[in-house]
């Protein structure tokens, strides 16, 4: 439906631009005709000022109408460019925000920002200048040359012979411009990506003494972008010079032919000669403007292709169903059946043939060495990543048969570094509740109390209205984790996923968090990526992963007896390996 609406809108815009161009062409011809009539009447017809006064009024009206139609034509082009940029930005934002966690980690953030901002801005001239000028240059010169043929055929033939040189040159220049534009966008993307990377890691670079080295890298990248930009400007200057040269020579030939016909051969009247000399520059000006617009259009086409290529990289979206869960039902059994997952076709890491059943209200620990696939399995269980093959079931129904919002409303995911948005503490806690539901301040305060955060908040001058910086600036790691727990307490989920939330915290903070987690897990299924021995031992079931394979599952005692690698891992942590 949106595509059909877009096509209808484009056709409507093209019809409007065509109408404006026809009116502009008519005004140009009328302007030249009235101007010649006035001059011819005054100098050759002995007309008085009173006689030509109506003609002057008509000329003034024609000039006003020409300016008006030119303004409306340009405004319509600007509107087209703005709408198309808005469409591209919306598509790119939807593409980036709708990608899976794994896809979002591919590529540099700076390049993506550059694509959304700079590349989309490059598209503007194609829609705001090139398309309106194409229509204008197809109609106005046609109107003019028809009138010139009717006035003096020889001048019309000269125009027809010289006109093809302009589009031929435009095509040659345009191809080079498009290529240079794509190179420039590549350089800009590389520069933006590198600059943002360095900016985000500036403290680390300083500590390791690499800041000056990266400074030189950014300098080289910026110089590459400068050279790419200058190469486009060189092409633009060449384009303008050649178009001016062709136009001047063509107008000179027409002027010479008209002069010879007027003076020597008496083959044309003064009125006709003057009329042609006024229209000829207008004819070639329209073609020159097309040449300049063609240059900008080809530059924009490079950006359009980059954006299209980026949009086509979009992974196949997950198609969720329309099933719902009973809102009073907290007992959810999760089952993994022959689950396989690979990050990409060329990537070696993969989860392979994972089979597991997670009963309701159980505490499940996922353990294994670094790189075993623990966090990846958690992403699949949550639904934010989809298996390459195999299925995840919830209460005997494939996970994707449920409505997406219904499933996500049943679970909470607390990672090692939960994201805290710029806003107040209350606003950040309220994120835990569905956006369609009203959240009272009392509910937020109760959630903070349950998460062990209330005392800290009440000690602040502005309490729950205390602003928090982007990414949680101003909060410690433990405070950010407790804020994430408060979101979960507010939500009261049926399934809770913990991705090593206590990693890097001091013992006191860890104990506070674990007490809150135990309270939160009283009426929910808990799945934890575990690293501490006491967490592992207390789990109802343990899934031991290694290199993407599920080596074994069971209680701590069962794995100690049957899985040598698990026993060794426990021994390395200082546990009882007997």
């Amino acid at each position: 439906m949106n595509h059909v609406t877009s096509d209808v809108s484009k056709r409507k815009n093209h019809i409007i631009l065509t109408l404006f161009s026809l009116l502009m062409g008519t005004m140009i011809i009328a302007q030249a005709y009235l101007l010649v009539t006035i001059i011819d009447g005054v100098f050759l017809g002995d007309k008085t000022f009173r006689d030509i006064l109506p003609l002057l009024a008509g000329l003034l009206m024609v000039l006003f109408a020409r300016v008006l139609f030119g303004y409306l034509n340009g405004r319509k082009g600007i509107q087209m460019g703005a709408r198309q940029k808005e469409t591209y930005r919306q598509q790119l934002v939807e593409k980036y925000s709708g990608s899976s966690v794994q896809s979002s980690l591919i590529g540099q953030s700076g390049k993506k920002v550059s694509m959304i901002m700079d590349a989309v801005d490059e598209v503007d001239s194609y829609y705001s200048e090139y398309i309106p000028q194409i229509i204008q240059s197809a109609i106005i010169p046609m109107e003019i040359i028809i009138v010139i043929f009717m006035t003096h055929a020889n001048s019309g033939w000269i125009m027809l012979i010289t006109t093809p040189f302009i589009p031929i040159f435009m095509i040659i220049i345009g191809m080079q411009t498009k290529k240079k534009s794509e190179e420039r966008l590549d350089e800009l993307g590389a520069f933006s990506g590198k600059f943002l990377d360095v900016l985000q890691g500036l403290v680390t670079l300083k500590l390791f003494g690499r800041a000056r080295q990266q400074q030189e890298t950014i300098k080289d990248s910026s110089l590459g972008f400068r050279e790419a930009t200058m190469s486009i400007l060189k092409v633009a200057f060449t384009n303008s010079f050649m178009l001016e040269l062709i136009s001047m020579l063509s107008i000179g030939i027409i002027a010479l032919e008209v002069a010879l016909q007027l003076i020597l051969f008496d083959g044309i009247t003064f009125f006709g000669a003057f009329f042609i000399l006024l229209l000829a520059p207008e004819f070639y000006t329209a073609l020159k403007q097309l040449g300049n617009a063609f240059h900008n259009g080809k530059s924009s086409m490079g950006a359009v292709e980059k954006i299209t290529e980026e949009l086509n990289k979009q992974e196949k979206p997950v198609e969720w169903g329309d099933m719902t869960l009973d809102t009073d039902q907290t007992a959810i059994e999760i089952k993994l059946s022959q689950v396989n997952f690979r990050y990409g076709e060329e990537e070696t890491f993969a989860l392979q043939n994972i089979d597991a059943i997670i009963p309701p209200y159980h505490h499940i620990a996922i353990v294994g060495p670094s790189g075993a696939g623990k966090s990846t399995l958690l992403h699949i269980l949550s639904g934010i990543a989809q298996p390459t093959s195999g299925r995840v079931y919830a209460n005997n129904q494939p996970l994707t048969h449920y409505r997406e919002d219904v499933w996500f409303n049943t679970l909470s995911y607390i990672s090692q570094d939960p994201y805290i948005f710029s806003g107040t503490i209350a606003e950040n806690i309220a994120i835990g509740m569905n956006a369609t539901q009203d959240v009272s301040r009392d509910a937020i305060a109760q959630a903070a109390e349950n998460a062990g955060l209330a005392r800290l908040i009440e000690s602040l001058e502005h309490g729950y209205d205390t602003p928090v910086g982007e990414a949680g600036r101003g909060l410690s790691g433990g405070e950010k984790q407790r804020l994430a727990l408060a979101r979960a307490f507010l939500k009261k989920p049926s399934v809770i996923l913990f991705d090593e939330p206590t990693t890097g915290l001091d013992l006191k903070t860890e104990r506070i968090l674990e007490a809150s987690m135990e309270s939160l897990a009283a009426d929910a299924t808990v799945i934890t990526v575990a690293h501490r021995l006491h967490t592992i031992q207390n789990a109802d079931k343990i899934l031991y992963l290694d290199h993407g394979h599920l080596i074994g599952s069971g209680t701590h005692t069962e794995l100690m007896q049957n899985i040598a690698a698990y026993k060794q891992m426990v021994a390395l942590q200082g546990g009882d390996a007997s």
Side-chain angles (χ1 to χ4, degrees):
M1 180 64 69
N2 289 337
H3 180 69
V4 173
T5 303
S6 177
D7 288 342
V8 171
S9 177
K10 286 180 181 178
R11 283 197 295 270
K12 181 181 177 182
N13 288 332
H14 290 172
I15 291 171
I16 293 173
L17 290 173
T18 300
L19 177 62
F20 286 151
S21 297
L22 280 169
L23 292 171
M24 285 175 64
T26 303
M27 293 304 106
I28 289 171
I29 294 169
Q31 172 189 324
Y33 179 82
L34 289 172
L35 191 59
V36 172
T37 302
I38 292 169
I39 293 174
D40 184 67
V42 170
F43 290 98
L44 299 180
D46 297 327
K47 290 187 177 182
T48 64
F49 178 76
R50 180 176 295 178
D51 294 331
I52 64 168
L53 193 58
L55 294 175
L56 288 172
L59 179 61
L60 184 63
M61 292 177 61
V62 166
L63 288 171
F64 175 78
R66 179 179 177 180
V67 171
L68 175 64
F69 293 135
Y71 165 77
L72 293 175
N73 190 79
R75 182 177 179 181
K76 175 56 67 174
I78 291 171
Q79 289 175 348
M80 288 170 58
R83 286 198 195 98
Q84 192 59 48
K85 289 195 296 182
E86 181 182 2
T87 299
Y88 277 137
R89 284 204 172 100
Q90 183 178 356
Q91 289 174 342
L92 286 168
V93 169
E94 288 177 355
K95 185 255 181 182
Y96 291 141
S97 62
S99 297
S100 66
V101 172
Q102 287 72 31
S103 296
S104 66
L105 296 176
I106 298 174
Q108 293 175 305
S109 299
K111 283 188 176 181
K112 294 176 181 178
V113 172
S114 176
M115 182 66 67
I116 292 175
M117 301 302 295
D118 301 312
V120 172
D121 280 338
E122 289 282 340
V123 169
D124 182 75
S125 59
Y126 179 78
Y127 292 93
S128 64
E129 298 177 21
Y130 179 60
I131 291 179
Q133 191 61 52
I134 281 282
I135 296 173
Q136 206 170 301
S137 296
I139 292 174
I140 294 177
M142 185 65 67
E143 287 186 82
I144 292 174
I145 202 168
I146 289 172
V147 172
I148 287 180
F149 260 109
M150 293 170 62
T151 305
H152 189 240
N154 289 350
S155 298
W157 285 114
I158 293 173
M159 285 185 175
L160 281 181
I161 293 170
T162 56
T163 297
F165 288 102
I166 294 178
I168 289 172
F169 187 76
M170 283 183 343
I171 292 171
I172 296 172
I173 292 294
M175 294 302 104
Q176 187 69 11
T177 300
K178 181 172 175 291
K179 178 183 176 183
K180 294 290 185 183
S181 174
E182 291 174 354
E183 292 175 359
R184 176 176 173 270
L185 286 173
D186 286 337
E187 292 288 347
L188 179 58
F191 173 63
S192 300
K194 189 65 181 176
F195 184 78
L196 185 58
D197 275 354
V198 171
L199 193 63
Q200 290 175 328
L202 189 58
V203 174
T204 302
L205 292 172
K206 283 282 189 182
L207 291 174
F208 284 96
R210 294 297 185 95
R212 187 168 296 278
Q213 180 183 352
Q214 292 301 318
Q215 179 181 344
E216 292 300 318
T217 302
I218 290 178
K219 179 181 177 181
D220 293 340
S221 182
S222 65
L223 289 175
F225 173 60
R226 183 191 70 181
E227 293 301 322
T229 302
M230 292 305 297
S231 65
I232 291 182
L233 291 177
K234 289 177 184 176
V235 174
F237 291 144
T238 304
N239 179 59
S240 298
F241 172 74
M242 290 304 298
L243 290 175
E244 288 290 343
L245 183 62
I246 294 171
S247 299
M248 288 172 60
L249 289 174
S250 300
I251 294 171
I253 293 171
I254 292 172
L256 177 62
E257 192 275 336
V258 167
L260 291 174
Q261 289 289 337
L262 180 65
I263 298 172
L264 296 180
F265 302 108
D266 199 22
I268 191 173
T269 63
F270 171 80
F271 185 98
F274 195 15
F275 188 46
I276 289 171
L277 288 177
L278 287 179
L279 287 180
E282 297 283 1
F283 176 85
Y284 288 104
T285 296
L287 294 179
K288 281 193 303 180
Q289 289 174 345
L290 175 61
N292 293 328
F294 187 79
H295 169 83
N296 294 332
K298 279 299 178 182
S299 177
S300 294
M301 283 305 296
V304 171
E305 289 192 6
K306 287 289 181 184
I307 294 170
T308 303
E309 181 183 344
E310 183 69 15
L311 290 172
N312 288 339
K313 288 179 182 177
Q314 186 172 4
E315 59 184 330
K316 184 180 179 181
V318 180
E319 296 180 359
W320 292 82
D322 56 3
M323 291 182 61
T324 60
L325 283 164
D326 186 349
T327 54
D328 296 326
Q329 179 184 6
T330 58
I332 296 179
E333 180 185 74
I334 299 174
K335 178 183 177 182
L336 295 95
S337 177
Q338 290 293 295
V339 168
N340 291 273
F341 180 83
R342 185 180 294 275
Y343 280 95
E345 294 181 1
E346 298 180 0
E347 297 289 341
T348 56
F349 174 81
L351 289 177
Q352 300 182 26
N353 301 323
I354 305 294
D355 287 299
I357 295 177
I358 300 173
Y361 307 120
H362 276 54
H363 179 193
I364 307 299
I366 303 175
V367 301
S370 178
K374 302 185 295 295
S375 294
T376 301
L377 182 57
L378 213 60
H379 291 158
I380 290 173
L381 288 167
S382 68
I384 58 178
Q386 298 300 313
T388 307
S389 62
R391 277 190 166 179
V392 179
Y393 294 87
N395 288 349
N396 297 319
Q397 292 291 336
L399 194 60
T400 52
H401 283 196
Y402 295 103
R403 279 187 11 219
E404 182 181 19
D405 61 329
V406 168
W407 173 248
F408 286 136
N409 282 338
T410 66
L411 64 86
S412 282
Y413 189 122
I414 301 176
S415 65
Q416 298 177 34
D417 187 20
Y419 195 84
I420 309 301
F421 295 89
S422 177
T424 66
I425 291 177
E427 288 170 345
N428 269 284
I429 294 175
I431 289 173
M433 189 59 82
N434 190 311
T436 61
Q437 297 175 301
D438 293 330
V439 185
S440 68
R441 180 57 65 94
D442 289 341
I444 291 173
Q446 185 60 53
E449 178 69 35
N450 294 337
L453 193 61
R455 184 174 298 179
L456 169 67
I457 296 174
E458 290 167 359
S459 69
L460 300 174
E461 181 181 355
H462 300 290
Y464 287 89
D465 294 319
T466 301
V468 178
E470 181 183 356
R473 291 190 183 96
L475 296 179
S476 67
E479 289 165 351
K480 287 194 286 186
Q481 290 291 2
R482 276 182 270 177
L483 197 153
L485 279 173
R487 291 172 177 171
F489 273 110
L490 188 65
K491 190 174 188 178
K492 298 177 182 177
S494 301
V495 179
I496 307 171
L497 307 174
F498 292 111
D499 190 356
E500 300 185 308
T502 59
T503 300
L505 302 181
D506 60 82
L507 189 59
K508 179 181 177 181
T509 304
E510 182 179 347
R511 286 175 177 170
I512 293 173
L513 281 176
E514 286 178 345
S516 298
M517 288 160 59
E518 287 179 11
S519 174
L520 182 62
D523 298 311
T525 301
V526 177
I527 305 170
T528 307
V529 170
H531 64 289
R532 297 291 176 90
L533 183 58
H534 61 85
T535 305
I536 298 171
Q537 290 175 326
N538 294 332
D540 299 313
K541 180 189 262 187
I542 301 168
L543 305 180
Y544 183 78
L545 296 177
D546 192 6
H547 292 90
H549 294 271
L550 181 58
I551 305 301
S553 65
T555 64
H556 171 69
T557 302
E558 290 170 347
L559 292 184
M560 287 290 289
Q561 293 173 354
N562 301 320
I563 307 297
Y566 177 82
K567 186 176 181 179
Q568 182 181 5
M569 182 190 74
V570 173
L572 289 174
Q573 289 197 29
D576 183 8
S578 58

